[in-house]
Amino acid sequence: MTFLQRDVTDYSVCLYQTVWSGIKDFVPRDGRPTRERILISAEALVIENGYAATSVDQVIAASGTSKGAFFHHFGSKLDLARALVERYAAGDVAQLDAATAYAEAVTDEPLGQVDAFLAWFEERADDLMDEQSSCLYISVLTERQLVNAGTAEPIVKAVVAWRDGLARLLAAALADGAGGRRHQVDVDALADHVFVTFEGAFLLARATGDPGHMRRQLHVLRDLVRALLRAR
Amino acid sequence: MTFLQRDVTDYSVCLYQTVWSGIKDFVPRDGRPTRERILISAEALVIENGYAATSVDQVIAASGTSKGAFFHHFGSKLDLARALVERYAAGDVAQLDAATAYAEAVTDEPLGQVDAFLAWFEERADDLMDEQSSCLYISVLTERQLVNAGTAEPIVKAVVAWRDGLARLLAAALADGAGGRRHQVDVDALADHVFVTFEGAFLLARATGDPGHMRRQLHVLRDLVRALLRAR
């Protein structure tokens, strides 16, 4: 859905640019399409090459904008990084909400909800890897200067949202399924293991050049979680 | 053990440098201590800040060497990256071998061997996070230019060594414990999940500033694997 919206925005921007082809620095009244186009190009470049290895000039070239337009929207490259992470983390939390709503619509049974939640991501794994070759979080977290400049804050908020949302589903499933063993399970760490699996699988896919690892890792995660929740 | 050896090397290099304090470009006959010192400093910088964000000048300053000494040992920054990954991956495979030897010494029972293997890493998690704030693999895999330049090859070899070593232990445990369910488990993907957990936990620790996530994630991994191997 997000990606469809992006395509539509891109297309209308292209039309605009054709009509106004002589005016390279054209900025629509609310400034959104140009800003969005810069963010989309920058996100792809930073995910592919890293933040330090991506120059403002590369972002300008890839987004078909100008230095003037870039600095109209972003005070610095660091400002761009902050906006990228804000936007990406918002998309991440939207995925959590969508998967939770799906799981709760599918069944009232707690064990089934956890499984449906994980299945939702497993089914979308190949599409995810078609859309992006890695995760923006990895590019940002790799550089301590970016973390120290506060760019990791939206990541932490997203991590906590995932942890809280999943811990709620997992706690219900443990109460339902795992009988006496539920007191031994660190529910927050188990919830965090989903974030851990996504990030680790992105890296495994990048290392081996095989994007299929995302789907396989999400499937293994489902098998593992199902076994733990049903263990007695 | 590796880290103790490094400390001893560092110490003897320091003595050397004190004695020969006027000779900044001094290189011992076999060239090893200076090369090793550059690698140790560069590894810490690249893990902390990323590869593109680390300059040769920073590596020279941190290792107390000179431009002449640096380029005596490494033809370029990319050569340094290759040497860093080779060295780090060799350490990684040595850890696999040590944990496997430990697991096989502890018990003949396949389920117990898998658990001992994972426990070996869980027990060392806090020490690992004291020694390094993240993983060199993450810094390298984040930058496509480095992957394309072949620097990921030793990572892939290490991933395959871990997969093969662990799959052997896991297949024996599945044959022993999981009865009819063993045919449904993708043993290679389950083996890869250990690499995935390490890398994801490094990123979770970096994002939240809490190195304790490594220990908690390795503990959850143990719980999950134990449940899957015993599921019927």
Side-chain angles (χ1 to χ4, degrees), chain A residues 46-53 133-134 137-145 147 152 155-156 159 163 181 184-186 188-201 203-204 206-208 213 216-217 219-221 223-229 231, chain B residues 46-53 133-134 137-145 147 152 155-156 159 163 181 184-186 188-201 203-204 206-208 213 216-217 219-221 223-229 231:
Chain A
V46 172
I47 286 178
E48 191 65 5
N49 303 321
Y51 171 78
S133 68
S134 184
Y137 293 164
I138 298 175
S139 299
V140 168
L141 294 172
T142 301
E143 299 184 28
R144 174 70 73 185
Q145 49 150 340
V147 176
I155 304 179
V156 177
V159 164
R163 180 186 300 154
R181 290 195 65 258
Q184 298 161 30
V185 177
D186 180 343
D188 282 352
L190 183 57
D192 281 342
H193 197 70
V194 178
F195 171 88
V196 162
T197 301
F198 269 106
E199 301 308 306
L203 288 163
L204 181 60
R206 176 68 73 104
T208 59
H213 280 299
R216 290 196 286 279
Q217 284 304 310
H219 186 78
V220 158
L221 174 68
D223 280 347
L224 287 164
V225 170
R226 203 189 287 124
L228 184 70
L229 294 179
Chain B
V46 172
I47 286 178
E48 191 66 4
N49 304 321
Y51 172 78
S133 67
S134 184
Y137 293 165
I138 298 174
S139 300
V140 168
L141 294 172
T142 301
E143 300 184 28
R144 175 71 73 185
Q145 49 150 340
V147 177
I155 304 179
V156 176
V159 164
R163 180 187 299 154
R181 290 196 65 258
Q184 298 162 30
V185 177
D186 179 344
D188 282 352
L190 182 58
D192 282 343
H193 197 70
V194 178
F195 172 88
V196 162
T197 301
F198 269 106
E199 301 307 306
L203 288 163
L204 180 60
R206 177 67 74 100
T208 59
H213 280 298
R216 290 196 286 279
Q217 284 304 310
H219 187 78
V220 158
L221 174 68
D223 281 347
L224 287 164
V225 170
R226 203 189 288 124
L228 184 69
L229 294 180

